[in-house]
Each structure stands twice: as structure tokens, then as C-alpha cells.
Amino acid sequence: MPTDTDPTVAEEACFEAGIKFGTLYHQFAGTPVSPDSAESISTAMEESIENQPHCADVTVDVRTDELEAELADSAADYTELTGRFLEVEIVVDYEDCEVVTRMAMEEGYPLMRVESVRGRD
């Protein structure tokens, strides 16, 4: 029988989503990226995180427009991957509870947030 200290299924599902975002961001931050490699890095990130338990879907968009702007005045053909080059959506399905989370730039910071929670609470 649950007590006041037991997390709800929805809270556990949100925790699972947070683990996925922490892994995605910190596993790939600093990876060399260019407009030419953006698609393959997106795919690698998606497939890597989809391996984790309860992960229903991952969509990673490497913002090539931002990459191209970063590289416009650079002698290099690549830069390192940071949150400002990413838009990410992760969907977790945990015990009939679906959590949709997103990461996007907000006021110069890659903000990760819970967009919706549907199902058990």
C-alpha cells in the first residue's frame, strides 16, 4: 500500500525521462560535429537512448543552421556539439504512463522540460 513518501507512477515516469536526458546530453556533449555529420550524429543519439528501458521514442534534430552560422567565420570544418545545436524530444512509457519531454534553447540555455504526462498518477 502506498505511503505519502512513495512516488507515483507519473513521478517515476518523469524520473525515467530525466535519466534519458542526462545520458543523452552528457554522453554526446563535446562530440565533433559538422553540417555533414549532423544527420549521423542525430541517428546515433536517437538509437543510443532508445536502447534504455521505458524509452518509447527519441527525436534529435541537430540544428544545422546554427552549425553553419558557428562555422561561417571559422577556419575549422567542425565544432563541438553543445545544447544550442540540439532540439530533442524524448517519450517515456512507464507502466501505462506516457511522459513527453523536450529540450530546446531558451534565453541562451538548453532547457529540458516535461511537456506532458498522460496516464497513471
Side-chain angles (χ1 to χ4, degrees):
M1 176 148 247
T3 66
D4 290 340
T5 60
D6 290 339
T8 66
V9 170
E11 290 168 334
E12 290 176 323
C14 288
F15 176 78
E16 286 293 332
I19 290 170
K20 275 67 173 155
F21 257 117
T23 301
L24 179 137
Y25 192 86
H26 294 292
Q27 179 178 350
F28 290 97
T31 299
V33 64
S34 71
D36 291 339
S37 68
E39 186 175 341
S40 64
I41 288 174
S42 292
T43 300
M45 293 172 82
E46 291 168 355
E47 291 178 357
S48 172
I49 301 307
E50 285 173 347
N51 284 324
Q52 294 187 28
H54 314 295
C55 192
D57 190 44
V58 180
T59 304
V60 176
D61 179 31
V62 176
R63 300 173 63 206
T64 54
D65 57 332
E66 289 292 322
L67 281 175
E68 290 167 353
E70 171 83 8
L71 296 171
D73 296 326
S74 174
D77 293 335
Y78 71 95
T79 189
E80 65 183 50
L81 188 63
T82 68
R84 74 185 181 111
F85 300 120
L86 296 174
E87 290 183 3
V88 181
E89 179 181 273
I90 298 175
V91 179
V92 166
D93 186 359
Y94 180 83
E95 294 188 21
D96 298 324
C97 181
E98 181 185 81
V99 175
V100 178
T101 57
R102 285 200 172 81
M103 181 181 81
M105 291 301 290
E106 187 170 305
E107 297 180 16
Y109 184 79
L111 189 62
M112 301 169 200
R113 71 173 74 228
V114 174
E115 292 289 316
S116 65
V117 178
R118 286 176 278 198
R120 296 175 57 183
D121 51 18

